Each structure stands twice: as C-alpha cells, then as structure tokens.
Amino acid sequence: MMKENIEDISRFLKLELVPDVKINNGYMEESFNLTIKTANNILDYVEKSMNETADKVEKTFQTIANNITHNFEEIIQKSSKNFNALQKLAIDNEVAIANDFTNKLNNVVAKIETRMKQHEDFMTTSVAVCAEAFSHMSRGTVKYASLFLNSVLIKGTRPGSEVLDPKSGDFVVPPGGDGIYHISYGVLIDTMSPRTGMSQARMPPRFAVKSSQGKRITIHEASQIWATVGVKNQYKDLIPASRAITLNLRAGDIISLEQINNHAELAYRLTFCVHLVHPTLFSSVTWEELPISTVPELNIATTYVEPIMQNFQIGDLKSSVEKPDISIPIMSPLQSPNSHFVSGGSTDPSYLEPLNPVALIGGVPEHYALIGSVPEPEQEAGSGNGYQ
C-alpha cells in the first residue's frame, strides 16, 4: 500500500497540484502586471485631473481677481464722481445761501435804516408856538404883538418860514407837521363899557378857535368863551377866561383865534398857543414794512450714481478626464480543491494504475493532459478519508 500511496500522491502532485500552482503563478503574474498598469493609469489620471483642476482654479481665481479689481476701480471712480458732484452741489448751495442771506440782510438793514430814519424824523418833529397881544377889540382874527415861544422842528430841521405869523394871526401847519394839536388861548374879558349912553354901549367879546382845512372853514363852538357878568365899577369888571381844544390837523391847515361879536368891548392880555402833541405823518410817510424771512431755494437734486458691478460665477471645477478602467484578471478554476486529498473522498481504482516513470518525470499521460479531465473518485460510505 505504501507504493500505491506514493503513486497516488505523485499523481496528485503531477496532475492537480502542480498545474494549480502554475495557474496561480500565472494569475499572480498577470495580477502584478495589471496592478502596475492600473497604478500607472491612476497616477496619470490623478496628474491630469490635478493639472486640469489647477488650471480651472487658477482661471477662476484670475477671473475673481479681475472682477474684484474692476469692481473696486468702478467703486472708486463712481465714489470720486459722486463726491465731486456732492461737493459742487454743497458749494453751490452754500453760495446760494450766502447770497440769499446777504441780499436779505442788506434788505433788512436798508429797511431798518429807513424805519429808524422814520422814527428819528418822528422823534425830531415838534411844534410849540405861542403869541401874545395886549388888547383886541374888533371883529375878526386876533393879531399879535410878538411870539414868546417859537420852537418848530420838522424832521430835525427848522422850517424856512414862521408857522405862526403875528401880523396875520394865522398858524399854518407846516409840511411834515401832521398830527394831534393842542390849541389853547387866554384872555381878560371886559364885561362893562366905560362909555356913557346907550349908543356908546358895547357887548362883551366872544372868542373862538377857527380852522381852515382846505375849503372847509369851521368855528369850533367848543372853544368859545365869553362873559355877561360884571360889576358897576368899570375898573373892576375884567374876567380872566381860557379855553383849550384838541384837533387833528394836516399840513396846510390854518388855525386862528377869532372874535366873533360886533361892537365888542376890549379884551386884554390875549395869549394864543399851538402845541403838536403827537405827530402822525399819515399824509406824508408810510411806515416801511420789514421783510418776511423766507427759506432760500436750494438745489436738492440727487447726484448719486450707482456703480455698475461685474458679477461672476464659479464654474465647475471638476476634472473632465475620464477615469481609467480597472479590470481584475479572472483566475481559472483550480483542480486541487476537488481532489480526494482535500475533499476526503476514496481513491478511484483507475486513478491508481501504474505510472510511467517517464511520465512522472517528463509529462502527464495523454488521458490526464487536460486540466480537470481526471475523473473524480467515488466516495464510499463510511470509508473515512480514503487512506487505507
């Protein structure tokens, strides 16, 4: 049995194990060659992909840099233009405000100066005159011997002529002397005539203020004074009397003291005074209106120009290089795993024929030349692992 076992082992080695080893060696060699080729393809793919991706990234960064540079230049340029336009607008508005303020200030100053001049004229206008006469008897305007008060200023200047003429007895309101006048007079009235006989008797005098305003002549009854009482002593029948009246007069109006009775008795110590209480100037001067403050017209047009920005998008940075095909070599089926040495089956009697020593050394018998042509031995039940 030892010989048969040795032959059986020899057959297994020659016909199954050795071919499987050769097949496995060929598979390993093929796998090694394929691994080198695959590794080269992978390295080539990685290199090309990295180069392409690097080029795309470089171009993308260059595009981003160009866009950023352009956008910054656009922003700087538009910002400079906007600043210059805004500065010019501000300067123009400042000039407009300054000119408007200067014009308004000059206008205000001129009007204030005019108003101050009007106030100055108003404050420097005064009229105060008084005349006196020792006696008066005839009907008509009282004439005076002299002026004991003559203070007349119209806007700070004395008139060229006397406003109260003693010879005519007329007071003429001077130009610019319009206003409220206080007119007063006093007199000693003789109530009893020293003459004898009815034909020589005279009436007590009656005095009143007369005004001539244009074509209208008025004897002011409120200003009248007279006396009808007395004593038999002709030297003790003098009665002092006075009256005052206030009139609103204009330039050119005439005021005088009138004795209105015929055959009047003598009157003594006559005084006549005219005093400007409050100048009105309503006929010659209009108060200057001060200007109303207004907001200057400014240019508020929008000068801002929006910068035009260049948008950019990041493209696909993936590589377009095709991935290499990786193929795995297919290994032929091995015979040794099916051997009764491995599977534990019985030995086929035909498999135990005597071996040709030459075949063991130099080759495989013809009926075992093909791999896998060795018949599988039938396994008997309960025969164990096939070894006797």
Side-chain angles (χ1 to χ4, degrees):
M1 293 300 292
M2 293 296 293
K3 180 181 179 181
E4 293 178 353
N5 290 337
I6 292 173
E7 290 179 352
D8 191 12
I9 292 172
S10 298
R11 287 188 185 93
F12 170 72
L13 293 175
K14 181 64 176 179
L15 299 178
E16 296 180 3
L17 185 58
V18 172
D20 284 349
V21 171
K22 290 182 178 179
I23 291 172
N24 188 57
N25 289 335
Y27 175 77
M28 291 179 65
E29 183 178 359
E30 184 179 357
S31 298
F32 178 74
N33 294 332
L34 183 61
T35 300
I36 295 176
K37 182 179 179 182
T38 302
N40 291 330
N41 291 337
I42 291 174
L43 291 175
D44 183 63
Y45 167 75
V46 171
E47 183 179 2
K48 290 181 179 179
S49 298
M50 290 182 66
N51 291 335
E52 183 179 358
T53 302
D55 292 340
K56 289 184 177 180
V57 170
E58 182 180 1
K59 291 180 180 179
T60 300
F61 277 115
Q62 186 63 39
T63 302
I64 293 174
N66 293 336
N67 287 337
I68 291 176
T69 302
H70 174 270
N71 291 339
F72 271 113
E73 291 177 353
E74 178 72 10
I75 291 173
I76 293 173
Q77 183 180 6
K78 290 298 175 61
S79 298
S80 178
K81 290 183 179 179
N82 290 332
F83 177 77
N84 292 333
L86 185 62
Q87 186 179 26
K88 182 178 182 301
L89 183 64
I91 293 175
D92 293 342
N93 287 334
E94 287 178 0
V95 172
I97 292 174
N99 292 336
D100 182 78
F101 177 78
T102 302
N103 294 333
K104 290 180 178 178
L105 181 61
N106 292 335
N107 189 21
V108 169
V109 170
K111 290 182 178 297
I112 289 178
E113 288 179 351
T114 302
R115 176 69 70 88
M116 294 298 293
K117 183 63 170 60
Q118 290 174 334
H119 279 279
E120 183 181 351
D121 294 342
F122 182 83
M123 297 300 295
T124 57
T125 297
S126 62
V127 177
V129 293
C130 289
E132 62 180 350
F134 178 77
S135 64
H136 180 79
M137 185 176 65
S138 63
R139 176 187 175 93
T141 304
V142 177
K143 311 301 190 293
Y144 306 101
S146 63
L147 298 177
F148 65 88
L149 175 62
N150 186 16
S151 176
V152 180
L153 289 175
I154 304 299
K155 299 180 181 180
T157 305
R158 288 187 59 84
S161 59
E162 298 292 343
V163 295
L164 177 56
D165 184 8
K167 294 181 180 180
S168 64
D170 293 335
F171 170 82
V172 181
V173 178
D178 304 28
I180 306 298
Y181 283 82
H182 181 266
I183 303 165
S184 63
Y185 66 94
V187 61
L188 280 174
I189 298 176
D190 191 350
T191 60
M192 186 174 181
S193 174
R195 299 174 181 82
T196 60
M198 293 297 295
S199 59
Q200 301 297 328
R202 289 182 173 270
M203 297 179 62
R206 181 189 298 263
F207 292 93
V209 175
K210 182 183 76 173
S211 64
S212 300
Q213 296 174 303
K215 296 181 179 181
R216 186 180 65 181
I217 299 175
T218 304
I219 298 294
H220 298 277
E221 294 182 0
S223 66
Q224 294 185 39
I225 58 170
W226 69 94
T228 59
V229 296
V231 294
K232 292 182 179 181
N233 189 342
Q234 59 180 343
Y235 298 105
K236 297 181 180 180
D237 59 350
L238 299 178
I239 299 176
S242 64
R243 179 71 74 178
I245 189 173
T246 302
L247 297 177
N248 186 8
L249 303 178
R250 299 185 182 183
D253 291 349
I254 300 174
I255 301 296
S256 62
L257 180 61
E258 300 290 322
Q259 198 287 114
I260 57 179
N261 281 343
N262 293 321
H263 305 289
E265 187 58 78
L266 279 172
Y268 302 96
R269 297 297 184 185
L270 291 92
T271 59
F272 179 69
C273 294
V274 179
H275 177 219
L276 176 61
V277 179
H278 178 71
T280 57
L281 304 178
F282 59 84
S283 64
S284 58
V285 175
T286 301
W287 290 109
E288 185 69 27
E289 293 289 339
L290 295 179
I292 300 174
S293 177
T294 57
V295 179
E297 295 183 1
L298 302 179
N299 184 7
I300 56 174
T302 301
T303 59
Y304 177 75
V305 179
E306 186 74 22
I308 300 175
M309 309 297 290
Q310 284 188 354
N311 297 325
F312 59 88
Q313 295 180 350
I314 299 177
D316 187 9
L317 300 179
K318 295 180 180 180
S319 174
S320 61
V321 179
E322 295 182 359
K323 295 181 180 180
D325 293 333
I326 300 175
S327 60
I328 300 175
I330 300 174
M331 184 177 180
S332 301
L334 300 178
Q335 299 297 324
S336 58
N338 296 325
S339 173
H340 64 281
F341 287 101
V342 179
S343 63
S346 62
T347 304
D348 186 2
S350 62
Y351 189 68
L352 298 176
E353 293 182 358
L355 292 173
N356 185 0
V358 178
L360 289 174
I361 299 173
V364 181
E366 294 179 359
H367 60 283
Y368 295 140
L370 297 175
I371 297 175
S373 63
V374 179
E376 296 181 0
E378 296 181 0
Q379 182 176 358
E380 296 179 0
S383 60
N385 57 5
Y387 289 96
Q388 302 294 331

